[in-house]
Amino acid sequence: MQFGIYGLKPEEKEFFDAWAAENGVTLQFHQEILGGQTPADFAGDDVVVALQTVAYPPAAIEAMAQAGVKYLALRNVGTDNVPFATLAANGIQLANVPAYSPQSIAEFAVSLTLQLVRNFGYVIQSISHHQYTDAMQRTGKELGTLTIGVVGTGRIGASAVKLFQGFGSQVIAYDPYPNPALKDQVEYVDDLADLWPRVDVVDLHIPGTKENTHLIGADQIAQMKDGVYLINTARGNLIDTQALIAGLASGKIAGAGIDTFEFEADVYPAWEKNEAPANPLYEKLLADPRVIMTPHIAYHTETAVENMVTVSLNNAKAFVETGHAPHELDVAKLADA
């Protein structure tokens, strides 16, 4: 049994090696993500195990199929970058890791919020220029005095709700499918229009589906409180970047924590080379001390990495042994959605 591992990150290697030794499976490691591969690159692979935030090119999927690979096991939960129709047309089955560490992302969202409300961007900028009095005069806010709007209350959102409540924050939540475990712990609203004007912080934990693209745009920002903070550790397409920049320029938005950038596919190649992205919107946000930009790392803890590796490999092994995986997704149904 042989798996092709794509998008390998250094911190994953020890977990891959430990699992392979325990399960007697050969792993072929590739640092590159799925992109320009040919059928020869997949020779001998029973399953491709991949991790990337940019799009999976249909040509790479077709090359897998031509090489006889029938299964793709993702090491993450998100599938908005997967060409379901191409998978279905080529008879390739798909599995993901539905929950590798909700706590890791929730903690990151809270940490971004803490840094924003305490003016970390300004403070770091000031002391780097030895303007210590400016740093000392920056007055922050306490989380316990703020109302947090958590949009999406699945595993990650539910963790965020509890963390914010631990700081004494009032939390208002929105989810088309409210979490039963939170029904007595948080106030739900039925419409986002009821949430926007009531909260000081908007924290997003929903999938980046087509329907959710630009969930927050100019119209939604106009409905929010003056001085609102936006936190996005979910998917970049949820926030209209142009509207975000306009909101910062007008002062309507006091700050933003952006771990997932709308045009991530454009800047990712530069990230990989440790170069400055040439996207003007990214550069504008990065230069603003009211904005904290991170390169899609909210999930990135030791616990999460181990779970992502282990669960994806268990899915891959189950595919080969039984033809199905514990966390298999219906690509035909998703292709028609």
Side-chain angles (χ1 to χ4, degrees), residues 14 16-17 22 81 92 95 161 189 201 233 249 252 266 271 286 309:
E14 64 174 299
F16 275 120
D17 288 342
E22 183 177 342
N81 57 342
I92 295 178
V161 166
V189 294
V201 178
T233 57
K252 181 72 174 184
D266 294 339
W271 288 351
L286 193 63
V309 168

Side-chain angles (χ1 to χ4, degrees), residues 72-76 93-97 315 319 325 327-329:
L72 173 61
L74 306 183
R75 302 200 297 280
N76 66 315
Q93 294 167 246
L94 175 72
N96 70 345
V97 181
N315 280 333
F319 267 141
H327 304 296
E328 184 175 353
L329 302 172

Side-chain angles (χ1 to χ4, degrees), residues 134-314:
D134 179 73
M136 290 186 286
Q137 290 169 2
R138 294 285 173 182
T139 304
K141 297 180 174 65
E142 297 177 14
L143 280 189
T145 69
L146 303 179
T147 300
I148 315 295
V150 175
V151 181
T153 56
R155 296 179 179 93
I156 299 169
S159 295
V161 166
K162 294 175 183 178
L163 288 171
F164 279 119
Q165 288 178 331
F167 281 93
S169 302
Q170 179 186 357
V171 178
I172 301 173
Y174 170 81
D175 195 309
Y177 306 99
N179 190 331
L182 296 177
K183 64 178 182 178
D184 297 324
Q185 301 177 32
V186 67
E187 177 189 353
Y188 274 99
V189 294
D190 296 325
D191 194 302
L192 281 169
D194 297 326
L195 182 140
W196 304 137
R198 296 180 56 190
V199 301
D200 303 293
V201 178
V202 176
D203 180 29
L204 300 175
H205 296 292
I206 55 174
T209 60
K210 291 181 180 179
E211 295 76 17
N212 288 336
T213 295
H214 289 183
L215 183 82
I216 294 179
D219 290 344
Q220 291 73 31
I221 291 170
Q223 299 173 46
M224 296 178 187
K225 284 185 177 182
D226 292 342
V228 68
Y229 297 90
L230 303 184
I231 309 294
N232 188 8
T233 57
R235 281 294 184 268
N237 67 315
L238 299 177
I239 297 178
D240 181 340
T241 305
Q242 295 278 14
L244 168 61
I245 290 173
L248 288 162
S250 71
K252 181 72 174 184
I253 298 174
I258 305 297
D259 184 55
T260 52
F261 177 61
E262 182 177 6
F263 306 106
E264 190 166 305
D266 294 339
V267 302
Y268 187 85
W271 288 351
E272 287 283 277
K273 298 176 184 177
N274 290 319
E275 297 176 352
N279 181 292
L281 299 180
Y282 186 89
E283 292 174 343
K284 193 172 187 67
L285 290 173
L286 193 63
D288 193 326
R290 298 168 297 172
V291 179
I292 298 174
M293 300 285 286
T294 51
H296 208 135
I297 56 171
Y299 73 94
H300 209 221
T301 63
E302 293 176 357
T303 299
V305 171
E306 181 176 10
N307 289 341
M308 292 165 74
V309 168
T310 302
V311 175
S312 64
L313 291 174
N314 287 339

Side-chain angles (χ1 to χ4, degrees), residues 16-99:
F16 275 120
D17 288 342
W19 186 93
E22 183 177 342
N23 290 272
V25 175
T26 299
L27 303 180
Q28 297 291 338
F29 295 109
H30 308 272
Q31 291 185 344
E32 66 271 20
I33 61 176
L34 290 180
Q37 289 79 14
T38 66
D41 294 310
F42 302 111
D45 290 339
D46 297 296
V47 185
V48 167
V49 181
L51 173 64
Q52 60 194 66
T53 57
V54 298
Y56 286 87
I61 303 300
E62 291 167 354
M64 287 169 52
Q66 291 170 27
V69 178
K70 299 179 180 179
Y71 310 110
L72 173 61
L74 306 183
R75 302 200 297 280
N76 66 315
V77 59
T79 58
D80 54 297
N81 57 342
V82 177
F84 300 121
T86 305
L87 288 174
N90 287 276
I92 295 178
Q93 294 167 246
L94 175 72
N96 70 345
V97 181

